Amino acid sequence: MQISIQSLSHQYFNGKTTHALEDIHLDISQKQFVALIGPSGCGKSTLIRLIANLIAPSQGEIRIGEFHPKQAIENGQVAWMAQSPALLPWLTVEGNLRLAERFQKVKNQQPLSVEQVLKRVGLEGAADQHPYTLSGGMQQRLALARLLLQDAPIWLMDEPFAALDELTRERLTEELFSLWKDFSPTVLWITHNIHEAIKLSDRILVFSEQPGRIVADIPTAIPHPRLENNPDFQELLFRLRSILHHDPNGNFNHAA
Amino acid sequence: MQHKQSRKTIFITLSIVVVFFLGWELGVFLTGTPVYLLPAPSRVIQTLLSHPDTFAQATFLTLGEALTGLLIGVLAGLLLASVLTLLPGFEDGVMTLAILIKSTPMVAIAPLLTLWLGFGVLPKIIITALMSFFPVLINVLSGMQRVDPALHDLFKSWNASRWEIFRYLRAPSAIPYLFTALKITGPLSLIGAVVAEWTGASGGLGRTMWMAYTNLNLPFLFAAIFILAAAGMIIYRIITWSEAKAVFWQPAQTNS
Ligand SMILES: Nc1ncnc2c1ncn2[C@@H]1O[C@H](COP(=O)(O)OP(=O)(O)OP(=O)(O)O)[C@@H](O)[C@H]1O
Ligand SMILES: [Mg+2]
């Protein structure tokens, strides 16, 4: 399922006007793994929330396949995950997944069962525990399991592991990559970590400072596994750093 | 650790109670205060034990009125909070009316109810219900409205209906708020019933107190006060105990 975005702009109005996004044009093809990077407050979350129909755009159009975001959500085409694991604290691990299962849309694919997703993320032993007894990493694993259960062709991920320690974040990022290889969804993934973006994605979109525009759209064609000592890796890293530090608006920022 | 802590707390609580009553007893004895001004606690207990049936009957009646009123008030508060959450258009109108009634002092309404409805239990139940209703309505309503935004977004991304969000998210989120209200209204319901009994009743602790007061029978009056204090404390304890069971996912209050 591809995503296509035409002349998209977004403003927030509360007291003052914030120009979050300006004139975004974007086509993402099916099964692409796309990383979004850019300075804080440049509108990355806004873009993902617009695609997930959590907010409506001020101007422009978003198409998910042939659908508007609202229809795509109704059809269960889009799954969304953010930094907070967003678990229901009064339900057990299994209870949280059973609830998600209720909202699963019936599609042509064979959806995974609660038992299967628990096993896939390595939480099969914790089914009867409550979220507050889980570590931060386990909580995000549960959120990943829930995402799998939704069986959506598009995954929108807003810094899903940003709140975790470095080691756990690396492990979960690898896990996400392996899930993507097995289930081939289209992934839009916001990250603050340039290394991870290069390691995983097919394509990196770099946003400017507010109002957010796409200032670079870079395919990453380095063969996997991408090791940091690969000269291509280093070159791309250097290139992304220089874009982030001196974006074409002439602004200087500390996003890297 | 936890166990030790609670033992220590119980010990401190008991010590304070014992010191308080010993001081009272000793003070009355040393100053030679006459019994029609302030009876010693031992005298009050003696009175209590020598009229077991009288006090048991009065307690039973007052407790029955208070708990029936409490139950009705809580159920009505829950119901109205749910309706206002599901149909938010009515909130302003209903809340204005609710606050208007709330601002009318119960001591002014109680004699009117007695005038209209007689000396039976009905006016007492109505007063108690009215007093329990508002804290429940206001607390539960804000609990239902102030849900975790990340969880709300999650349900939105699942295309959950207003009813489903209420059923799976808003209602359980309001449980801790319900207990906050119960801790206020539980002990208060006894006061409501007693105040209503003062305005005219055929029985109950309020009536016992009023009769004792007009006869300057202070041991009798204090015996009723002792029962009320003990009952209020027991109700409060039952509520905090149920709270710990029902809201198990929230960490216990810390005070260090
Ligand atoms: N609900 C809102 N109301 C008003 N302004 C908002 C709202 N949400 C975001 N903004 C503003 O819009 C701009 C873009 O916010 P957004 O959350 O999309 O940034 P971001 O790129 O995700 O930042 P970060 O990397 O820090 O998460 C910011 O200036 C932010 O303050
Ligand atoms: Mg963000």
Side-chain angles (χ1 to χ4, degrees):
Chain A
M1 180 127 318
Q2 75 269 23
I3 303 172
S4 113
I5 292 171
Q6 291 294 317
S7 321
L8 181 75
S9 296
H10 191 77
Q11 295 95 37
Y12 290 104
F13 304 99
N14 42 7
K16 65 181 177 65
T17 307
T18 308
H19 291 270
L21 289 173
E22 198 158 278
D23 203 29
I24 304 284
H25 291 263
L26 184 61
D27 277 296
I28 293 167
S29 51
Q30 199 156 343
K31 298 178 184 176
Q32 229 176 17
F33 193 118
V34 181
L36 266 60
I37 60 176
S40 181
C42 69
K44 305 180 295 294
S45 296
T46 302
L47 179 62
I48 271 197
R49 296 173 67 80
L50 285 164
I51 299 171
N53 194 44
L54 294 172
I55 45 177
S58 308
Q59 295 92 31
E61 198 171 56
I62 300 171
R63 288 291 177 145
I64 296 161
E66 72 260 43
F67 303 117
H68 289 292
K70 184 169 186 297
Q71 299 164 309
I73 285 285
E74 283 164 8
N75 301 337
Q77 310 281 7
V78 177
W80 171 83
M81 176 176 173
Q83 189 169 332
S84 144
L87 303 169
L88 296 165
W90 47 85
L91 297 180
T92 60
V93 167
E94 189 184 331
N96 269 280
L97 294 176
R98 293 264 172 243
L99 182 66
E101 205 178 24
R102 259 174 191 278
F103 291 94
Q104 204 175 46
K105 306 290 180 295
V106 189
K107 288 194 297 292
N108 36 12
Q109 282 164 276
Q110 187 76 28
L112 294 173
S113 70
V114 168
E115 290 71 23
Q116 283 170 315
V117 295
L118 270 178
K119 201 153 180 203
R120 181 65 213 244
V121 302
L123 280 178
E124 62 269 46
D128 298 329
Q129 278 177 247
H130 280 91
Y132 65 92
T133 67
L134 303 179
S135 68
M138 286 164 95
Q139 293 186 5
Q140 282 300 359
R141 277 175 195 276
L142 179 52
L144 264 182
R146 193 173 55 191
L147 189 85
L148 279 183
L149 206 55
Q150 272 187 269
D151 194 32
I154 293 176
W155 294 2
L156 302 175
M157 312 193 82
D158 190 346
E159 301 190 53
F161 311 130
L164 305 174
D165 66 276
E166 194 167 334
L167 218 68
T168 314
R169 196 186 65 221
E170 274 173 16
R171 286 210 52 185
L172 280 173
T173 309
E174 275 164 28
E175 201 131 332
L176 170 62
F177 188 64
S178 109
L179 290 174
W180 173 68
K181 281 195 295 195
D182 291 354
F183 297 95
S184 359
T186 308
V187 176
L188 251 176
W189 178 50
I190 300 178
T191 178
H192 269 129
N193 192 307
I194 307 178
H195 289 254
E196 283 179 357
I198 299 174
K199 251 186 194 155
L200 265 59
S201 59
D202 296 326
R203 180 179 174 190
I204 299 174
L205 299 174
V206 186
F207 280 70
S208 70
E209 277 204 63
Q210 201 187 78
R213 293 193 199 85
I214 297 172
V215 290
D217 183 347
I218 302 167
T220 37
I222 309 166
H224 286 281
R226 295 172 180 167
L227 303 174
E228 305 215 0
N229 54 13
N230 181 330
D232 291 341
F233 193 114
Q234 287 301 322
E235 195 201 309
L236 188 52
L237 187 64
F238 182 78
R239 190 170 155 205
L240 286 169
R241 282 228 168 104
S242 61
I243 297 171
L244 278 169
H245 283 268
H246 304 275
D247 78 34
N249 300 339
N251 298 325
F252 180 82
N253 63 69
H254 304 272
Chain B
M1 235 346 249
Q2 200 74 22
H3 202 68
K4 229 178 182 174
Q5 278 290 355
S6 69
R7 263 195 188 172
K8 196 174 147 197
T9 318
I10 290 171
F11 178 74
I12 293 173
T13 312
L14 278 179
S15 310
I16 291 171
V17 172
V18 167
V19 167
F20 174 75
F21 282 107
L22 274 181
W24 179 353
E25 185 80 37
L26 211 65
V28 169
F29 176 72
L30 289 178
T31 57
T33 309
V35 92
Y36 58 84
L37 283 183
L38 181 67
S42 57
R43 180 70 188 270
V44 177
I45 303 285
Q46 213 182 346
T47 311
L48 244 177
L49 296 178
S50 52
H51 301 83
D53 290 353
T54 315
F55 283 110
Q57 265 173 23
T59 306
F60 191 72
L61 185 63
T62 302
L63 216 55
E65 291 163 353
L67 295 183
T68 310
L70 181 66
L71 186 72
I72 293 171
V74 168
L75 289 180
L78 282 176
L79 192 72
L80 192 58
S82 307
V83 169
L84 292 184
T85 305
L86 287 165
L87 307 168
F90 292 87
E91 190 183 334
D92 283 352
V94 174
M95 285 311 278
T96 307
L97 188 66
I99 290 164
L100 204 72
I101 301 173
K102 158 88 184 145
S103 312
T104 317
M106 286 300 145
V107 275
I109 298 180
L112 280 176
L113 286 176
T114 304
L115 189 71
W116 294 332
L117 301 170
F119 285 10
V121 294
L122 199 57
K124 289 84 187 173
I125 292 174
I126 292 175
I127 288 289
T128 313
L130 279 174
M131 283 172 70
S132 321
F133 171 71
F134 294 101
V136 173
L137 172 65
I138 288 161
N139 274 284
V140 170
L141 190 61
S142 71
M144 286 175 172
Q145 290 170 343
R146 261 185 258 157
V147 295
D148 179 351
L151 282 170
H152 191 256
D153 283 344
L154 179 76
F155 277 84
K156 280 282 169 201
S157 81
W158 285 348
N159 194 38
S161 66
R162 180 176 273 281
W163 165 252
E164 285 165 333
I165 293 179
F166 177 80
R167 161 84 178 72
Y168 296 110
L169 179 61
R170 295 192 187 279
S173 295
I175 294 173
Y177 291 78
L178 171 64
F179 277 100
T180 304
L182 282 179
K183 281 190 276 188
I184 303 166
T185 59
L188 205 63
S189 67
L190 283 171
I191 312 289
V194 166
V195 169
E197 282 170 359
W198 281 345
T199 65
S202 46
L205 288 172
R207 171 154 168 97
T208 308
M209 287 168 82
W210 193 78
M211 299 273 284
Y213 179 71
T214 49
N215 295 327
L216 278 184
N217 186 348
L218 283 230
F220 236 77
L221 180 65
F222 270 93
I225 292 175
F226 277 23
I227 294 174
L228 281 174
M233 204 182 67
I234 291 167
I235 289 175
Y236 186 79
R237 288 286 169 209
I238 291 173
I239 293 165
T240 50
W241 179 81
S242 328
E243 183 184 29
K245 295 279 165 218
V247 194
F248 60 88
W249 65 87
Q250 279 188 352
Q253 277 181 12
T254 50
N255 184 11
S256 53

